[in-house]
Amino acid sequence: MKRTQTAEVNFDSKYPSTHVAEDDVRFIKDENGLDYIEIENRFATAKLALQGGHVMLWQPKHTSEPVLWLSKQSRFEPGRSIRGGIPLCWPWFGAHPTDSSLCMHGFARVTPFTVIDVGQMNNGYTRVILQMTKTENAQRQLSYPYTLVLTIEIGSTLSIKLATTNRASQPFFMGEAFHTYFNVGDIEAVTITGLEQTEYADKLLDYFRGTEEKELTFHNEFDRVYVSTKSDVVIHDEKYKRKITLSKRGSNTTVVWTPWEKKAHQMADMPKDDSWRHMVCVETANAMENLVMINPGYTHVLAVEYVVDEL
Ligand code: BG6
């Protein structure tokens, strides 16, 4: 944890923003009033929704398929989370610990963010800095004063940082996740490494506790929360002939979820076709016994970087 000074935003990137590259960035609004930022720089194409600070699309130029999976049936409406891309779970992961009437995975993913800065970095990447706005809905669910700042650096790699600053006079606990949906060639041809010998809670077996023996492969619905792990994770995709490396910081939990056909077809915002075969969520998180306690005046940063290489 870092002590913040008076500044609202913790600029810890080694590449300071130089100028807004207007040709690379477009701000658009849809018919429902939602705002988006489209980015096309020399390394990648990306699209962000300001509601939820949600990265919807990221495709580096060196890959033939988007890295993120986005549901064709996602609803783009105020107050509704987008299915796919990178939803932000904050300030809790899963169900609220004491009040089940509050929304799953916290309210950040349905709360509008404002733009603090959009600029081109010295290395040609585009950096977007967003801050969650204070809404009545958010205030009702978390009354402590805080700031939540999301920094996204878009290029041939994608880096995201979520900085939570406690502006209250007492400590607070929170859970969080980058709930990232990865686009894969076929879930049954995917292997995930980096979670071997790690303790998990299996949500499909009433949080049964076990230790993962080997690398992960998928032949059924899968929903496990891996605790007390700082390890990088690699998604090996035999079909798309690529691997995606997730390097994280400020995270002690990794969640792996894929719904399989029955559950996917029960979800209103997932298509009734075989799209579920093309997604796996690998979530960089702090959850269960890894909740974060932030002291007054301190900032906690959850960060991840995604790198895509040929297999
Ligand atoms: C995962 C959970 O993180 O998110 C799953 O482990 C859950 O249990 C999934 O089904 C999707 O959640 P939601 O709220 O976006 O439908």
Side-chain angles (χ1 to χ4, degrees), residues 18 133 234 287 309:
T18 49
T133 56
V234 182
D309 295 301

Side-chain angles (χ1 to χ4, degrees), residues 69 71-72 265 270-279:
W69 181 91
S71 169
K72 285 176 279 194
H265 288 184
M270 292 228 346
K272 306 281 177 277
D273 57 15
D274 69 350
S275 305
W276 59 271
R277 282 198 162 272
H278 298 285
M279 62 144 285

Side-chain angles (χ1 to χ4, degrees), residues 1 4 33 58 92 95 113 151 231 245 266 270 279 284-285 297 309:
M1 288 187 200
T4 48
W58 170 56
W92 58 86
F113 281 58
T151 303
S231 298
T245 304
Q266 285 166 350
M270 292 228 346
M279 62 144 285
T284 300
D309 295 301

